[in-house]
């Protein structure tokens, strides 16, 4: 889910995007994603690679606070 006005939406992510890497860590499943974000501090720059419409895209976002 992409929160309205959250970091992912502000970075340009949309519903249906598939995250393939976070800060260079390959994401194959939710466990990989949880591990990749576990050391990211609030307000840190995060590099994300996604697949959208069969194309790889690179985005950068500023992490938010975990709720």
């Amino acid at each position: 889910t992409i929160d309205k006005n959250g970091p992912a939406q502000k970075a340009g992510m949309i519903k249906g995007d598939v995250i393939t890497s976070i800060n260079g860590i390959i994401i194959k499943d939710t466990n990989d994603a949880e591990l990749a974000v576990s050391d990211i501090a609030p307000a840190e720059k995060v590099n994300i690679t996604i697949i959208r419409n069969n194309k790889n895209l690179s985005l950068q976002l500023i992490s938010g606070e975990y709720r």
Side-chain angles (χ1 to χ4, degrees):
T1 302
I2 298 175
D3 291 337
K4 185 177 180 180
N5 297 319
Q9 185 185 41
K10 289 177 183 177
M13 290 186 69
I14 60 174
K15 184 177 180 179
D17 287 348
V18 177
I19 298 173
T20 57
S21 75
I22 300 173
N23 284 343
I25 298 171
I26 302 299
I27 306 300
K28 293 181 241 147
D29 57 33
T30 55
N31 291 329
D32 290 342
E34 289 175 9
L35 182 63
V37 300
S38 65
D39 290 330
I40 297 173
E44 186 174 331
K45 288 183 182 177
V46 180
N47 296 304
I48 296 179
T49 304
I50 63 169
I51 296 175
R52 179 187 297 160
N53 299 325
N54 296 318
K55 294 180 182 175
N56 288 314
L57 300 173
S58 295
L59 304 173
Q60 187 176 74
L61 60 83
I62 305 298
S63 64
E65 300 241 0
Y66 181 72
R67 296 185 252 172

